[in-house]
Amino acid sequence: DAGVTQSPTHLIKTRGQQVTLRCSPKSGHDTVSWYQQALGQGPQFIFQYYEEEERQRGNFPDRFSGHQFPNYSSELNVNALLLGDSALYLCASSLFPTLSGDSPLHFGNGTRLTVT
Amino acid sequence: AQKITQTQPGMFVQEKEAVTLDCTYDTSDPSYGLFWYKQPSSGEMIFLIYQGSYDQQNATEGRYSLNFQKARKSANLVISASQLGDSAMYFCAMREQQAGTALIFGKGTTLSVSS
């Protein structure tokens, strides 16, 4: 049973460029969330996708956008990269939370993005 | 104000000893969930344990237990019989029902286990 997979594992980009990160959720999961983790910090929520729609968004600018495909996989796009975008980007999958129960997030190994 | 506070940047323990990692939270939502994750140097966040705000008993998962004190708004993680493989960063996180599905993480505590 494959867990959450992310690609690529590492990426180096130049300021102003655009980047696309990819995520395949754990088998059976329908919801994908993206988090940004700066060095020495806890992860910060970027957004969540369910049924191919953005359901919730954190405090991130419009340069950060995403997509979810019919097979539940997801992409995170970041435009006009800044030095401050350098971080570990974590994808997490789960079942969509309901009032009757909570579903823990299962994370991938992350993509380490370096902006120079 | 910080929603999740982890006051111990680093903790050191010897093998087979128990260790408690502190976490306090701040919310006015009566319905919330508390999570602990482990992050080894490889980067993956590994789910350890969950406590719901309405759960009457403290959660336990193998060597992990969550000391949930609702009135104090604390959710400390207790690891019994520490192992070398427990050395990692540990994050406390909260999900508030009114705030949707996002997890709010603390800054983490680095645990180092020595032989």
Side-chain angles (χ1 to χ4, degrees):
Chain A
D1 179 21
V4 179
T5 58
Q6 292 186 243
S7 63
T9 54
H10 294 84
L11 206 50
I12 299 175
K13 289 287 188 177
T14 305
R15 272 180 302 176
Q17 285 188 317
Q18 178 263 344
V19 68
T20 297
L21 310 182
R22 295 176 175 83
C23 172
S24 292
K26 178 180 168 66
S27 177
H29 285 178
D30 56 10
T31 303
V32 173
S33 303
W34 288 91
Y35 287 78
Q36 180 195 66
Q37 186 178 17
L39 201 60
Q41 301 293 317
Q44 283 197 294
F45 175 73
I46 303 175
F47 42 52
Q48 181 194 69
Y49 278 83
Y50 171 67
E51 291 187 334
E52 302 178 50
E53 289 186 12
E54 184 183 293
R55 297 292 175 156
Q56 190 180 357
R57 188 179 183 91
N59 189 24
F60 279 81
D62 291 345
R63 299 187 296 109
F64 289 77
S65 63
H67 190 77
Q68 186 180 34
F69 299 94
N71 66 353
Y72 307 119
S73 67
S74 177
E75 288 181 350
L76 164 66
N77 301 293
V78 188
N79 293 324
L81 284 167
L82 304 174
L83 295 179
D85 295 332
S86 295
L88 180 67
Y89 288 85
L90 293 164
C91 172
S93 73
S94 64
L95 292 173
F96 193 71
T98 65
L99 290 175
S100 60
D102 216 333
S103 174
L105 298 183
H106 293 258
F107 285 83
N109 286 344
T111 294
R112 174 77 61 189
L113 173 65
T114 302
V115 182
T116 62
Chain B
Q2 292 272 3
K3 288 271 189 177
I4 297 287
T5 303
Q6 295 181 255
T7 57
Q8 307 153 314
M11 290 287 285
F12 298 86
V13 68
Q14 289 204 311
E15 267 186 304
K16 300 179 185 176
E17 288 184 350
V19 62
T20 298
L21 306 184
D22 294 342
C23 172
T24 57
Y25 60 92
D26 181 26
T27 182
S28 56
D29 191 337
S31 180
Y32 54 90
L34 297 159
F35 302 78
W36 276 93
Y37 283 86
K38 170 185 177 182
Q39 187 176 42
S41 55
S42 60
E44 181 186 4
M45 298 284 283
I46 302 167
F47 167 71
L48 296 178
I49 197 166
Y50 165 80
Q51 181 86 40
S53 59
Y54 295 117
D55 293 343
Q56 296 296 316
Q57 292 191 328
N58 287 344
T60 59
E61 289 285 349
R63 294 187 299 112
Y64 304 107
S65 60
L66 200 153
N67 184 1
F68 181 47
Q69 298 188 41
K70 197 169 182 177
R72 291 186 171 185
K73 292 188 175 178
S74 75
N76 299 339
L77 177 70
V78 180
I79 305 175
S80 63
S82 297
Q83 302 172 355
L84 294 178
D86 293 335
S87 294
M89 192 77 151
Y90 288 79
F91 290 96
C92 179
M94 176 174 66
R95 177 187 285 147
E96 299 167 294
Q97 182 173 310
Q98 292 176 3
T101 55
L103 278 186
I104 305 165
F105 285 84
K107 292 188 175 182
T109 295
T110 302
L111 176 65
S112 299
V113 181
S114 59
S115 57

